[in-house]
Amino acid sequence: LRREVLHPAFDRTDLEVATPAPEPIVAPAEPVWVEPDAPRGLFGKKKHAETVAEMRKQYELLHSAWQLEVIELPAKQLASIRAFEALEQERLSRLAAERARYESECAARESEVKTSNDELDALIAGLAANREDAIHEYIQIVLSHSVYPDCFAVSHSHTFDSLMRELSLTVTVPPPSAVPSAKEYRYVRARDEVSEVAAPAREARKRYSDAIAQVDLGTRLHRHQDLRSEERRVGKECRSRWSPY
């Protein structure tokens, strides 16, 4: 009955992983002007001049774009750093919230277990003091450990004479009709169904008598069984003063 606090592992360890830092933005290489080869022949100068002019124009466009990109580089780097810091701050905030939630759940579990163990200590103290309410509660705890099938409902009631130190226990069992009467089940292919074969009356009576014997045995076992090491000393002391019925 005495409980221990068992906390599950923190379930948001993914938030404990830091946001990866951004890679530094590297400026592209500056375009380099490459002079075209000199013309050959007597009539290639004009065409060469046109080619040089066109290449110079393309080079200047590329160089202007490169200069603009270099100028914008610090702003892009700053934006990347700020985006990283925002993501990291969001992660830390979510981690703090999840940690607070987890610690709150742990505290609730610890409080629940402490309350349960305090009630158990109060019960043990009541048994040691021979308080009648504690004795009744202890008997109910013991009898609650008797579990039976739904089709065979068993109930217990008890009285305790504090003057005579005598416990009277009443066990109510269902009638014989509550015990399954089928001997076996057979599949009938012609009707495509499973039919029940009833057990002989003698076997049905034996089943019921066996069930009653098991209830009696289980009740006696649970009545005299120690629930936990904490209750063993007090329970034995109290049961030694009761006259079994």
Side-chain angles (χ1 to χ4, degrees):
L1 292 182
R2 189 169 299 280
R3 298 170 57 187
E4 296 181 0
V5 182
L6 299 176
H7 295 304
F10 181 56
D11 57 351
R12 291 308 307 272
T13 53
D14 58 304
L15 295 175
E16 295 177 339
V17 180
T19 304
E23 296 289 337
I25 302 176
V26 181
E30 181 180 3
V32 178
W33 167 254
V34 179
E35 186 74 24
D37 296 335
R40 295 180 181 180
L42 298 176
F43 304 101
K45 293 183 178 179
K46 181 178 180 181
K47 185 176 180 180
H48 178 264
E50 292 175 352
T51 301
V52 170
E54 182 63 26
M55 291 179 64
R56 174 66 67 176
K57 181 179 179 181
Q58 293 297 327
Y59 166 76
E60 290 175 351
L61 288 175
L62 291 174
H63 198 270
S64 297
W66 172 82
Q67 287 180 322
L68 180 62
E69 190 169 352
V70 170
I71 293 172
E72 294 176 347
L73 185 62
K76 290 181 179 180
Q77 189 72 46
L78 180 61
S80 176
I81 293 174
R82 287 179 175 174
F84 159 74
E85 292 175 344
L87 289 175
E88 181 65 3
Q89 186 58 46
E90 180 185 1
R91 179 190 71 84
L92 293 175
S93 298
R94 292 177 62 193
L95 177 60
E98 291 295 330
R99 277 288 182 189
R101 185 264 307 168
Y102 174 75
E103 291 172 1
S104 175
E105 293 174 352
C106 290
R109 279 187 290 269
E110 291 173 358
S111 177
E112 179 188 358
V113 170
K114 183 180 183 302
T115 300
S116 176
N117 289 338
D118 288 346
E119 292 175 353
L120 176 60
D121 291 336
L123 173 62
I124 294 174
L127 291 173
N130 292 323
R131 289 207 324 266
E132 188 170 346
D133 60 329
I135 294 172
H136 282 289
E137 183 179 355
Y138 178 77
I139 296 171
Q140 290 172 352
I141 291 174
V142 173
L143 294 179
S144 68
H145 285 69
S146 299
V147 180
Y148 300 96
D150 294 336
C151 64
F152 199 80
V154 177
S155 61
H156 300 86
S157 61
H158 69 274
T159 59
F160 180 73
D161 190 333
S162 57
L163 295 178
M164 301 295 296
R165 314 301 298 169
E166 182 177 273
L167 171 67
S168 297
L169 180 63
T170 301
V171 182
T172 304
V173 297
S177 58
V179 178
S181 59
K183 178 182 180 181
E184 60 184 19
Y185 293 90
R186 295 178 180 174
Y187 174 68
V188 181
R189 179 177 297 182
R191 299 195 300 271
D192 191 24
E193 65 180 16
V194 177
S195 62
E196 175 183 314
V197 178
R202 181 177 179 180
E203 182 177 341
R205 289 193 298 270
K206 185 177 184 303
R207 287 183 184 179
Y208 185 71
S209 63
D210 289 346
I212 297 300
Q214 290 296 322
V215 171
D216 178 56
L217 179 61
T219 302
R220 292 174 184 272
L221 174 64
H222 288 301
R223 185 182 64 175
H224 293 288
Q225 176 178 316
D226 298 323
L227 297 182
R228 283 278 186 169
S229 59
E230 290 88 350
E231 292 85 7
R232 185 172 293 117
R233 177 181 56 82
V234 177
K236 285 185 177 180
E237 178 183 347
C238 293
R239 284 195 297 271
S240 66
R241 300 181 182 181
W242 301 341
S243 300
Y245 176 70

